[in-house]
Amino acid sequence: MACIMRLGSKSEAFHLDGQTWLCSTGLSSDVIVEVGEMSFHLHKFPLLSRSRVIENLIKDYSGGDEKKCVLQFHDLPGGAKTFLLVAKFCYGIRFELTALTIVSLRCAAEYLQMSEDHGEGNLIAQTENFLNEIFSNWTDSIKALETCEEVLPYAQELHIVSRCINSLAMKACADLSLFGWPMSGSGTAAQSPEDTVLWNGISAAVKPPPVSEDWWYEDVSVLRLSLYKRLILAVESSGIKPERIAGSLVHYAKKHLPLLGRQSSFQNWDHAASGSTVSALCDADQRNLLEEIVALIPNQSGATPINFLLRLLRTSMILHASSSCQEKLEKQIGAQLDQAALEDLLIPNMGYSVETLYDIDCVQRILDHFVLLDHEAVDSGSNYIVDEGQLMGGSHPMTPMTLVANLVDGYLAEVAPDVNLKLPKFQSLAAVIPDYARPLDDGIYRAIDIYLKAHPWLTDSEREQICRLMNCQKLSLEASTHATQNERLPLRVIVQVLFFEQLRLRTSIAGWFFVSDNLGNSQNPSGNLEIPRNNACAHVGTTQDHFLAVDDIMERVSELEKECLSMKEELEKLVKTKGGWNIFLKKFSFKSKSKSCDPKTAKSSDSKKSKPYDSNTSATASFTNGRGNHNKGESGLQVLKEN
């Protein structure tokens, strides 16, 4: 409930006549007080009995008219409206004190020196008592703090601003479950008849709903920047959680920065940059507001939502904020880059010399800062520990570096179609991510493929250079299949993909037969065909599942070798037309007559003839399946068919 104090007991005796206030007491006025454009025709005795300043001025007055003097108070705090309340107080006329008038009236009382020396219960004492009541109420404290802006020098000198801010900060940090501070909005409104229930004829108030931690965000957002900043600093010094400070800053920024809510589309971006939304006259104020908000953002990583930080960064580029402001935002974004979304990272280029559609340099700086912090965390021993079950199960832990790697790969795929994106800039951004951070290189392969498609004029050496950014061994089956049929890739890369796919295939087949042999030996170590009756059904089900798995592997092997054969035939035709096939084969250790990928020729080939990749796959080309030995030169498909 709002605080109200009634002073005086007499009825209204003042009336306004144009720009003049007259006091209808039956006596002619003997003093004229001018405040701004208004004049007050009053009497000396009621005024000098309450104010030391008015008393001294009347004594020192040396005007031509001895009966009537003129006093001027053009710099009185609160102006003519406040002096009218002062005059009513001096005459004992009844009026009300509210949170909207108390601050200016307290400052005016101090200005006129209306202390207890000039009468008991003078205006300074009365306003101080009412201020103490104001500070106990949240809503009235907000209103009083707002009015301090009008008389700020006087309010600061009397410590009204600091007292009001400290009162608000204490309430904002308080535990609402323990203290029932009065709050604005529906929580402070008087309960209506609908909010009460009757129980045996007795009315009982309905229990109010719980209040969230953001209850004070909207109330403090009405303050001017200078007062809001002082309040946030006071709240921060009280030990409140940085997440709550960040939440208040987000609310305040969204309310006072209209450019902050714009989307990242180029249409809206160009419209905002042209200045049609925010006029040039208030650009300086907007820039100052943004820089002050950035300075108030907590330094703790994760306290401020990263999408808000990225939007602040975009707005700072539009308003041409200071370099220190943008640098702080980039560092804080880099500290929690693993929480970012790809859409928020697509920052249009706002530089004077626009080369690319998106600001690649800004993302490069953010990424460099993230990698620097990640390396410091690893060096300090706080790196992430991978669970053993994840390694045994083949899953990849989603560490911050892995999340950022996926984010960067997606970002590269978005910016790759830009024809103005130079190859060194693309390489620099992709090379920041270490190789271990990518469990699979499908994302970077997709970005490279898009870049090659958008830049068909790249030379063969430049194509091979950009393809070094990906690891052919870490491509999935789908990506490998696509890569072997991709005409934009260099021949060297295609051959590498084929080599590692065959190596993976042989290793997979060897592992399957090794498991099947061990399974057979463990189930029947004596070689007998007896099966216990109790486990007969389980054994039959396991055997059927094993046969189904082998069938799936054989089908996959057949498909892969057919694709391998077709690709090799295409390569032979391509190189024969250009000449130099023998040089190409010698470079990659091939023989032109080698057809190990052909299921028919694989059976009839001599073991003494050289096979593709024999120099690199000797460790995986020989194994025993429990029924016979196989030579090193035989392929995995021969082993599978012979068994």
Side-chain angles (χ1 to χ4, degrees):
M1 182 177 180
C3 298
I4 298 177
M5 175 180 286
R6 293 178 175 85
L7 299 179
S9 57
K10 299 180 181 179
S11 59
E12 181 64 50
F14 286 91
H15 64 277
L16 182 63
D17 184 9
Q19 298 291 326
T20 303
W21 280 98
L22 302 174
C23 181
S24 57
T25 58
L27 300 176
S28 61
S29 63
D30 53 3
V31 61
I32 298 176
V33 180
E34 295 180 352
V35 183
E37 298 179 355
M38 302 296 295
S39 60
F40 297 82
H41 291 252
L42 305 175
H43 304 85
K44 295 180 181 179
F45 181 75
L47 298 179
L48 60 86
S49 63
R50 289 291 186 177
S51 171
R52 180 184 297 275
V53 172
I54 295 178
E55 180 183 9
N56 294 335
L57 289 176
I58 291 176
K59 287 181 180 180
D60 298 339
Y61 185 77
S62 57
D65 190 352
E66 297 181 356
K67 294 183 179 180
K68 183 176 294 186
C69 63
V70 179
L71 307 179
Q72 294 181 346
F73 298 111
H74 295 302
D75 57 347
L76 180 75
K81 292 182 179 180
T82 302
F83 186 79
L84 177 61
L85 299 179
V86 172
K88 289 182 178 181
F89 175 80
C90 293
Y91 279 83
I93 297 175
R94 183 170 56 250
F95 70 97
E96 290 184 350
L97 275 179
T98 64
L100 298 177
T101 60
I102 182 59
V103 175
S104 60
L105 191 58
R106 172 65 182 89
C107 295
E110 190 70 26
Y111 178 88
L112 297 173
Q113 298 182 16
M114 303 177 69
S115 62
E116 295 297 299
D117 297 338
H118 274 69
E120 185 178 357
N122 212 341
L123 189 56
I124 290 180
Q126 297 282 2
T127 52
E128 274 294 330
N129 293 335
F130 187 65
L131 272 176
N132 293 331
E133 296 182 18
I134 290 291
F135 295 150
S136 64
N137 185 283
W138 170 267
T139 306
D140 288 336
S141 297
I142 291 288
K143 294 179 180 179
L145 186 58
E146 283 186 85
T147 60
C148 288
E149 195 75 30
E150 303 172 359
V151 291
L152 192 57
Y154 301 97
Q156 288 181 342
E157 184 178 354
L158 297 175
H159 305 289
I160 297 177
V161 176
S162 58
R163 291 156 61 191
C164 192
I165 286 178
N166 292 336
S167 172
L168 291 172
M170 181 188 66
K171 295 177 178 62
C173 299
D175 187 355
L176 298 179
S177 62
L178 301 178
F179 302 96
W181 298 116
M183 293 175 294
S184 63
S186 60
T188 59
Q191 289 184 340
S192 60
E194 290 80 6
D195 296 332
T196 59
V197 294
L198 294 178
W199 180 75
N200 289 341
I202 303 175
S203 63
V206 178
K207 184 178 180 180
V211 182
S212 60
E213 293 183 344
D214 61 350
W215 62 269
W216 54 280
Y217 293 173
E218 176 62 26
D219 293 336
V220 301
S221 66
V222 301
L223 298 175
R224 299 287 294 273
L225 177 61
S226 58
L227 296 177
Y228 175 78
K229 178 181 178 180
R230 293 182 59 177
L231 176 60
I232 291 298
L233 293 176
V235 170
E236 183 180 12
S237 62
S238 300
I240 197 172
K241 296 179 181 178
E243 290 80 6
R244 296 176 64 183
I245 295 178
S248 177
L249 291 172
V250 171
H251 191 92
Y252 191 87
K254 288 181 177 180
K255 188 170 184 177
H256 296 279
L257 284 174
L259 291 179
L260 192 65
R262 290 197 170 272
Q263 301 298 322
S264 60
S265 62
F266 283 98
Q267 293 80 5
N268 289 336
W269 194 265
D270 295 337
H271 182 69
S274 63
S276 59
T277 303
V278 181
S279 63
L281 296 177
C282 62
D283 274 352
D285 295 335
Q286 293 284 309
R287 180 167 54 251
N288 179 62
L289 173 61
L290 183 140
E291 292 175 354
E292 291 290 349
I293 290 176
V294 171
L296 292 173
I297 292 177
N299 294 323
Q300 290 83 349
S301 176
T304 309
I306 191 171
N307 60 340
F308 172 70
L309 294 175
L310 285 165
R311 289 184 178 273
L312 277 181
L313 182 58
R314 294 179 183 179
T315 310
S316 67
M317 293 177 179
I318 295 179
L319 299 174
H320 303 292
S322 63
S323 57
S324 59
C325 173
Q326 297 188 27
E327 183 179 357
K328 179 181 179 180
L329 286 172
E330 290 175 358
K331 287 185 177 180
Q332 290 204 267
I333 293 171
Q336 52 193 91
L337 185 59
D338 56 298
Q339 305 171 11
L342 177 58
E343 179 184 3
D344 296 327
L345 205 61
L346 296 173
I347 304 174
N349 201 336
M350 292 295 298
Y352 292 104
S353 58
V354 178
E355 295 181 356
T356 56
L357 294 176
Y358 296 102
D359 197 336
I360 310 295
D361 295 332
C362 176
V363 177
Q364 179 77 56
R365 292 191 297 268
I366 293 173
L367 185 58
D368 290 339
H369 187 70
F370 171 81
V371 173
L372 177 62
L373 293 180
D374 186 78
H375 289 169
E376 292 177 355
V378 172
D379 294 339
S380 62
S382 59
N383 55 315
Y384 291 85
I385 300 176
V386 181
D387 184 71
E388 183 179 359
Q390 291 179 324
L391 294 177
M392 297 298 293
S395 61
H396 302 284
M398 298 303 291
T399 63
M401 181 60 77
T402 303
L403 295 173
V404 171
N406 295 334
L407 181 65
V408 171
D409 292 345
Y411 181 80
L412 289 172
E414 290 291 333
V415 301
D418 188 358
V419 294
N420 294 323
L421 179 59
K422 305 299 182 183
L423 178 60
K425 189 168 291 188
F426 184 93
Q427 288 178 299
S428 176
L429 191 61
V432 175
I433 302 299
D435 184 67
Y436 69 85
R438 292 188 176 100
L440 290 176
D441 275 21
D442 291 11
I444 187 63
Y445 166 69
R446 175 173 174 266
I448 292 173
D449 184 43
I450 296 175
Y451 187 84
L452 293 176
K453 184 177 181 180
H455 301 76
W457 55 82
L458 293 179
T459 62
D460 293 340
S461 61
E462 289 175 334
R463 292 173 181 270
E464 291 188 3
Q465 189 177 0
I466 193 175
C467 287
R468 294 193 189 103
L469 295 172
M470 67 176 178
N471 188 348
C472 296
Q473 300 184 59
K474 297 167 65 175
L475 294 178
S476 65
L477 177 61
E478 293 78 9
S480 298
T481 304
H482 184 275
T484 56
Q485 302 173 1
N486 194 341
E487 298 178 354
R488 291 182 287 271
L489 295 180
L491 292 177
R492 182 191 300 271
V493 177
I494 296 177
V495 172
Q496 288 179 356
V497 174
L498 289 171
F499 167 76
F500 289 118
E501 185 61 27
Q502 186 180 23
L503 182 64
R504 185 189 308 171
L505 179 62
R506 292 182 177 182
T507 306
S508 176
I509 294 174
W512 270 99
F513 277 99
F514 179 77
V515 172
S516 63
D517 290 343
N518 291 341
L519 182 62
N521 294 333
S522 62
Q523 289 179 348
N524 191 12
S526 61
N528 297 329
L529 297 177
E530 291 186 8
I531 301 177
R533 294 182 180 179
N534 295 335
N535 298 330
C537 296
H539 179 78
V540 171
T542 304
T543 304
Q544 291 178 351
D545 294 339
H546 178 65
F547 287 155
L548 290 176
V550 172
D551 291 340
D552 293 339
I553 289 296
M554 291 183 63
E555 182 179 356
R556 179 187 173 193
V557 168
S558 177
E559 293 177 356
L560 288 176
E561 293 203 348
K562 288 179 181 178
E563 293 178 1
C564 181
L565 177 60
S566 62
M567 284 303 303
K568 289 184 66 177
E569 291 177 352
E570 291 180 4
L571 287 175
E572 289 177 358
K573 294 179 182 179
L574 179 62
V575 178
K576 283 181 179 180
T577 56
K578 296 182 178 180
W581 173 245
N582 294 330
I583 299 176
F584 177 82
L585 292 178
K586 291 179 181 179
K587 195 170 186 178
F588 292 98
S589 300
F590 273 108
K591 290 292 183 66
S592 60
K593 296 181 179 180
S594 176
K595 304 286 183 179
S596 61
C597 290
D598 189 353
K600 297 181 179 179
T601 59
K603 287 185 177 182
S604 61
S605 60
D606 195 338
S607 61
K608 295 182 180 181
K609 293 182 181 180
S610 60
K611 299 291 188 268
Y613 320 118
D614 275 351
S615 61
N616 298 313
T617 59
S618 59
T620 58
S622 61
F623 49 85
T624 304
N625 65 354
R627 302 181 186 180
N629 297 328
H630 300 272
N631 296 328
K632 294 182 179 180
E634 293 177 339
S635 66
L637 182 61
Q638 288 177 291
V639 177
L640 184 61
K641 289 187 175 182
E642 289 177 4
N643 289 278

